[in-house]
Amino acid sequence: IGPAVWAAAAVTAQLVATSLVLVVVGSIGVGVVGARWPRTPVDVGLRLLAYAAWSMPAFLVGVLFLRWLLLPHGWFFGGRPGGGVVHWVRTMTLPAITLSLGFVGVYSRYIRSAMLVSLRQPYAVVARAKGLPERRVVLRHALRNSLIPFVSALSLEFAAIVGASIATDYVFGMGGLASLFIGSLRQADPFAMTAILVLIGGTVAVFMFLTDLALGSLDPRLRR
């Protein structure tokens, strides 16, 4: 079962990695904009979109994408990623957006709330008093401190991201761990199921270790 498990794990790993990039970039972007212009129409609109995105499960978003965007002759399509960069982008874009959309909705709230607190801290006030532009105060000083709760929450929810990737993989028929796991259930194969669960558990443990290192880099006080 080794080759089948590793081949399926490679597909799921690509999906999770791409989605994590979208989650980080999208959460920081939405959170910073909302904190920079709080209680404005832009902030209210982003918050409404964040709540709507978080309220919809990944498999429902995937089904809607399948109905609306995967047209018979459309640019995007489902299936196993591979066969060149263009084919990979066409098969990976919609699943990655499906998986990351809800998590951007919730994690952007962490960034916004932490940024609102950081921008009122004494170090931000002193930075403005010294003449630093507001953009540098936001990105250089407030954002770095605001990333600490975001990274902590992301490490705790990584297992949920992996679990949602299983549903996304199954909806789009990508041939990842979801297909292998469903096939193992139908065949009542405990060995393949055990291998999949051990692989997922080990991946979550490694990711949590890496986030601990990232937290130490963001906040030197944690190194002690």
Side-chain angles (χ1 to χ4, degrees):
I1 62 175
V5 171
W6 287 116
V11 175
T12 302
Q14 295 176 53
L15 174 60
V16 172
T18 306
S19 301
L20 279 177
V21 173
L22 295 180
V23 168
V24 172
V25 174
S27 299
I28 292 176
V30 174
V32 169
V33 171
R36 180 65 180 83
W37 294 281
R39 294 179 296 278
T40 61
V42 174
D43 179 37
V44 174
L46 289 177
R47 279 190 287 170
L48 289 176
L49 291 176
Y51 291 140
W54 179 237
S55 65
M56 298 179 65
F59 72 88
L60 178 58
V61 177
V63 170
L64 295 177
F65 279 171
L66 285 174
R67 288 196 172 193
W68 296 343
L69 298 180
L70 291 186
L71 303 177
H73 302 288
W75 200 82
F76 300 108
F77 54 86
R80 193 181 187 92
V85 176
V86 176
H87 184 276
W88 186 89
V89 172
R90 295 178 69 181
T91 55
M92 186 61 69
T93 300
L94 289 184
I97 294 176
T98 298
L99 180 56
S100 61
L101 195 61
F103 292 101
V104 170
V106 65
Y107 291 130
S108 62
R109 305 292 301 142
Y110 284 101
I111 296 290
R112 180 184 181 276
S113 300
M115 286 282 294
L116 288 176
V117 175
S118 298
L119 289 173
R120 296 183 177 92
Q121 293 297 316
Y123 63 82
V125 177
V126 171
R128 295 190 187 96
K130 289 183 177 181
L132 290 181
E134 187 66 19
R135 179 180 179 182
R136 187 170 182 181
V137 174
V138 171
L139 299 179
R140 182 70 181 273
H141 298 281
L143 179 58
R144 178 169 181 173
N145 289 326
S146 302
L147 288 178
I148 297 174
F150 167 69
V151 174
S152 300
L154 187 62
S155 66
L156 295 176
E157 295 291 336
F158 181 72
I161 296 177
V162 175
S165 73
I166 302 297
T168 305
D169 173 19
Y170 183 76
V171 169
F172 286 94
M174 303 180 68
L177 290 177
S179 302
L180 187 61
F181 188 77
I182 297 299
S184 303
L185 285 176
R186 291 174 178 173
Q187 299 173 9
D189 185 357
F191 302 104
M193 294 172 60
T194 302
I196 293 172
L197 294 177
V198 170
L199 181 61
I200 293 176
T203 303
V204 172
V206 171
F207 183 82
M208 294 187 70
F209 172 73
L210 294 177
T211 54
D212 284 342
L213 297 180
L215 287 173
S217 176
L218 291 171
D219 189 354
R221 296 173 298 179
L222 299 177
R223 301 174 189 174
R224 300 184 181 181

